[in-house]
């Protein structure tokens, strides 16, 4: 067994961390005041090569591993979960499916520009009536002579306000249930595609989350990504990596909250000594350290398995479930260590607390992760 990162991965952590501290940290307060993501940030990450970490060099990627992807996302989330949220959609959600099952022409049209940051993508899987149950989509894609006619409404589409490409699931054969759903890439400007309201959120401010309406939207056959009717099956091939990535992101946010709590426990004096000298606070910080260590091990073990092409459905769900619940406990306790100051808007604790909440919801809720783990146990 080897629990060490390679020299290359350590170096990459320093590069990622420096980027997050220098280029992202200064904009965090401003992002809190808005509900739209600054597109230049994704373009900058494209220029620096971050958007292509796990993809082949021939498409402009870095040919890196999943462990490095997790390192980058962890460091980014430590500074801004909103920026990391916008980025993970671009890296995993948009480039991922094209790299996995796009044709060579689609890779040139969608993968290459998305890795460069020239084309931003949004994912439209969720619908008003289809959340965890992705197979219950109502959006339809009727076959026509040269393509498809798409009708439907998508919910919670991250980055849709700045997107050039919309990856949507739609029913191509109503009689086949989950085996009758396909994925289409709809370009901005296509007649019938409207980006609807930007929904205000509890946390992840700075990130736009939109409704997307497709009404009589005609697309060419080229827009079909992967085989017809195999959309959900194909997407399932990328969910492990998505869950591992979210686990690493949760670790990043937890570390930010924990570091602040340790610093505060050393500095804040009550009853004549730093509060970190009280066992009540020490135990809280010790429990936090244990949980972060566990989540880190789980996330990177699953990433390591993914890198080796090992099946890691259970490990990815365990990591995602544990890390996303862990970050909520850490954010809660870190705020508690700060007392009244933690509750004030001028400290970042309230942001950690609000941003942590979504980790148990997106990329498969905690209940869905438990269901997957249960199924993997043969139940
Ligand atoms: C900030 C944010 C960004 C998002 N970005 C995107 C995006 O870019 N693209 C996209 O397509 N979607 C996106 N989503 C949607 C996200 O994937 C869904 O919210 C998630 O899949 C849950 O679906 P739902 O909200 O409809 O909840 P529901 O599925 O309706 O679930 C409601 C409750 O029921 C529980 N539940 C459901 N089924 C079961 C079951 N079988 N057993 C036990 N409990 C169950 C859930 O765990 C939950 O507690 C985003 C969501 C958020 C909050």
């Amino acid at each position: 067994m080897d629990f060490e990162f390679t020299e290359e991965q350590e170096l990459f952590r320093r590069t990622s961390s420096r980027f997050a501290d220098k280029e992202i940290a200064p904009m965090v307060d401003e992002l809190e005041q808005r509900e739209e993501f600054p597109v230049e940030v994704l373009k900058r990450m494209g220029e620096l090569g971050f958007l292509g970490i796990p993809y082949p060099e021939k498409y402009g990627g870095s040919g890196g591993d999943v462990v490095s992807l997790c390192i980058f996302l962890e460091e980014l989330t430590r500074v801004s979960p909103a920026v990391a949220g916008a980025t993970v959609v671009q890296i995993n959600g948009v480039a991922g499916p094209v790299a996995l099952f796009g044709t060579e022409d689609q890779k040139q049209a969608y993968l290459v520009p998305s890795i460069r940051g020239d084309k931003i993508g949004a994912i439209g899987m969720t619908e008003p009536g289809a959340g965890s149950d992705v197979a219950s989509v109502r959006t339809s894609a009727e076959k026509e002579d040269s393509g498809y006619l798409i009708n439907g409404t998508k919910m919670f589409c991250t980055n849709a306000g700045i997107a050039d490409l919309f990856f949507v699931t739609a029913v191509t054969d109503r009689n086949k249930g989950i085996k009758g759903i396909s994925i289409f890439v709809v370009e901005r400007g296509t007649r019938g595609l409207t980006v609807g309201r930007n929904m205000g959120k509890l946390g992840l401010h700075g990130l736009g989350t939109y409704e997307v309406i497709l009404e009589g939207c005609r697309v060419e056959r080229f827009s079909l990504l992967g085989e017809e009717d195999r959309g959900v099956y194909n997407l399932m091939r990328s969910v492990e990596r998505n869950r591992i990535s979210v686990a690493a992101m949760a670790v990043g946010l937890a570390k930010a909250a924990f570091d602040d709590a340790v610093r505060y426990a050393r500095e804040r004096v009550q009853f004549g000594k730093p509060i970190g000298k009280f066992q009540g606070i020490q135990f809280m910080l010790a429990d936090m350290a244990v949980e972060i260590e566990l989540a880190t091990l789980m996330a990177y073990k699953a990433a390591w398995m993914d890198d080796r092409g090992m099946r890691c459905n259970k490990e990815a769900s365990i990591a995602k479930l544990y890390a996303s619940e862990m970050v909520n406990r850490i954010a809660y306790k870190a705020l508690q260590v700060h007392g009244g100051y933690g509750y004030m808007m001028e400290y970042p604790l309230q942001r950690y607390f609000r941003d942590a909440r979504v980790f148990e919801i997106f990329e498969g809720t905690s209940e869905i992760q438990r269901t997957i783990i249960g199924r993997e146990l043969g139940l």
Side-chain angles (χ1 to χ4, degrees), residues 89 123-127 130-133 155-158 201 204 207 209 358 361-368 371:
V89 167
I123 309 299
M125 284 173 66
T126 308
E127 295 187 0
S132 304
D133 183 9
M155 293 301 285
F156 306 147
C157 299
T158 302
K201 299 184 293 304
L204 295 188
L207 193 70
T209 308
V358 77
I361 297 168
F362 62 13
E363 227 26 83
T365 64
S366 289
E367 292 72 30
I368 293 302
T371 306

Side-chain angles (χ1 to χ4, degrees), residues 141 148 150 166-168 170 172 182-186 219 223-225:
Y148 297 85
I150 306 181
F166 298 79
F167 289 63
V168 300
T172 29
S182 307
I183 306 164
F184 295 90
V185 185
V186 185
V219 294
S223 305
L224 174 70
L225 190 64

